[in-house]
Amino acid sequence: FSGENHWILDEAPDHPIASERYRVVVHAATDISRAIDFTITIKNISDAPITMLGATTDQKGYGGFNLRPDKTRKPMHFTSAMGPHTEDAFDIASPWVDLSYPMAPGSENLSGAAIFQHPANPGYPHEWWIIRHYAFLGHSWPGNTPYEIKPGDEVTLRYRLYTHRGTAKDGKVAEAFADYTQAMKEQSMPDESKVLMFNALWFKPDGGAEKYGKYLAAVGPISQRYGGKKLSAAVPRQALIGKLDADLIFFVEWPNWTVFQEFLADPEFQKVSPLREEAITDSLLIRCDPM
């Protein structure tokens, strides 16, 4: 699921200074764990720079991606790539930190959650962690180092929350982080080849075609921002070999597969996509490579 928030100042509530888009992907559970991926993009939509900075009280730098478990479920066990942490800390040279604790007050059975930094995050591996044995774990980007976002620019932060049974060792947190890092690095290698998406549509009777026209009018400006180009469309008349009785067929060209995925995740696209479903009874969408 995804959504968008706006940042406003008390003195100017009608003039947002930044947009905050988020996307959350919940993966299927295994017998010991479940991974949840978070993507947060902050864009400066004002006409002045925005400086991000963690809370300056006692130089703690609070902010960023945080986990605050039930404080009655002590003791809290913190582990990072450096090993166990028995004392509170602000600065840990590790791209992940795990917090494990009893499943219920007084229980000997543990469960936990680890925060993984994405290798593409600014300053990775960013060392400004906050661990508090009263029950707090946070990766506090940007910490006490100011980060400026110029008008029109944006910054994206990605994290994986890895929940697991048992201790960090039982939950294989270190191994899970290594797998995550490798997968994200492979995923970040862009495929620059153009992609053609073949569309075949079967419209609902009594106004389906007209409704699809409204969908195209709404989605057109969004797809154009991502470089999507609708190529020639056609109405099938007769299938000479095989069977295809769609009401409309066409291709859309995209700069590459990654851009198409970003288009699908765009909150504006997701708002208008129900119009497509209201217009059709069936469809085909096939990824093709240009020749």
Side-chain angles (χ1 to χ4, degrees):
F1 60 92
S2 62
E4 182 171 341
N5 300 313
H6 282 167
W7 294 8
I8 61 173
L9 301 175
D10 290 342
E11 59 269 26
D14 297 328
H15 300 281
I17 63 170
S19 65
E20 178 184 28
R21 305 191 306 274
Y22 63 87
R23 183 168 184 248
V24 181
V25 178
V26 182
H27 298 274
T30 71
D31 57 341
I32 63 168
S33 65
R34 183 191 295 274
I36 307 173
D37 289 332
F38 296 80
T39 302
I40 305 159
T41 299
I42 301 165
K43 182 175 182 177
N44 183 346
I45 57 176
S46 73
D47 56 4
I50 294 175
T51 299
M52 299 187 66
L53 180 65
T56 56
T57 305
D58 299 325
Q59 299 298 306
K60 293 179 180 178
Y62 277 105
F65 192 84
N66 303 321
L67 171 66
R68 190 184 291 271
D70 180 2
K71 65 180 180 181
T72 66
R73 291 162 60 179
K74 295 180 180 178
M76 301 285 160
H77 305 277
F78 291 90
T79 308
S80 76
M82 300 172 64
H85 296 269
T86 58
E87 302 291 335
D88 291 350
F90 283 131
D91 191 358
I92 302 173
S94 174
W96 63 267
V97 176
D98 178 79
L99 171 55
S100 300
Y101 43 90
M103 297 182 67
S107 173
E108 295 183 358
N109 296 319
L110 303 182
S111 62
I115 296 175
F116 295 169
Q117 298 180 39
H118 191 287
N121 281 1
Y124 175 90
H126 195 272
E127 298 182 358
W128 203 264
W129 292 92
I130 298 177
I131 63 173
R132 288 289 181 266
H133 285 76
Y134 66 72
F136 183 87
L137 167 62
H139 181 247
S140 297
W141 184 92
N144 286 334
T145 302
Y147 187 93
E148 182 179 275
I149 307 175
K150 297 179 180 179
D153 288 351
E154 62 185 27
V155 61
T156 296
L157 301 170
R158 299 178 181 88
Y159 295 97
R160 171 164 288 186
L161 185 68
Y162 178 80
T163 62
H164 60 86
R165 300 181 185 277
T167 64
K169 182 178 180 180
D170 298 332
K172 302 181 187 253
V173 174
E175 295 89 335
F177 176 76
D179 292 342
Y180 168 70
T181 301
Q182 182 61 32
M184 293 304 102
K185 287 181 177 179
E186 291 175 358
Q187 191 179 93
S188 66
M189 296 177 183
D191 180 359
E192 298 299 336
S193 302
K194 289 184 178 181
V195 173
L196 294 178
M197 299 302 296
F198 172 75
N199 293 257
L201 305 167
W202 287 257
F203 295 131
K204 291 180 179 178
D206 301 325
E210 290 77 11
K211 289 182 179 179
Y212 191 78
K214 293 180 180 179
Y215 163 73
L216 287 180
V219 79
I222 305 171
S223 64
Q224 289 174 10
R225 291 206 309 266
Y226 289 89
K229 299 178 182 179
K230 183 181 176 184
L231 305 183
S232 59
V235 177
R237 292 304 183 196
Q238 182 182 10
L240 301 181
I241 299 177
K243 182 179 179 180
L244 180 65
D245 58 353
D247 295 309
L248 180 68
I249 60 174
F250 60 89
F251 281 96
V252 178
E253 181 185 87
W254 297 91
N256 56 59
W257 181 247
T258 301
V259 168
F260 178 65
Q261 294 293 313
E262 292 173 349
F263 162 74
L264 294 180
D266 188 296
E268 289 188 44
F269 168 73
Q270 294 185 9
K271 288 179 183 177
V272 303
S273 61
L275 295 175
R276 180 180 185 274
E277 303 309 312
E278 293 173 6
I280 62 176
T281 59
D282 200 1
S283 66
L284 283 175
L285 183 63
I286 302 174
R287 175 181 176 178
C288 307
D289 293 328
M291 294 182 65

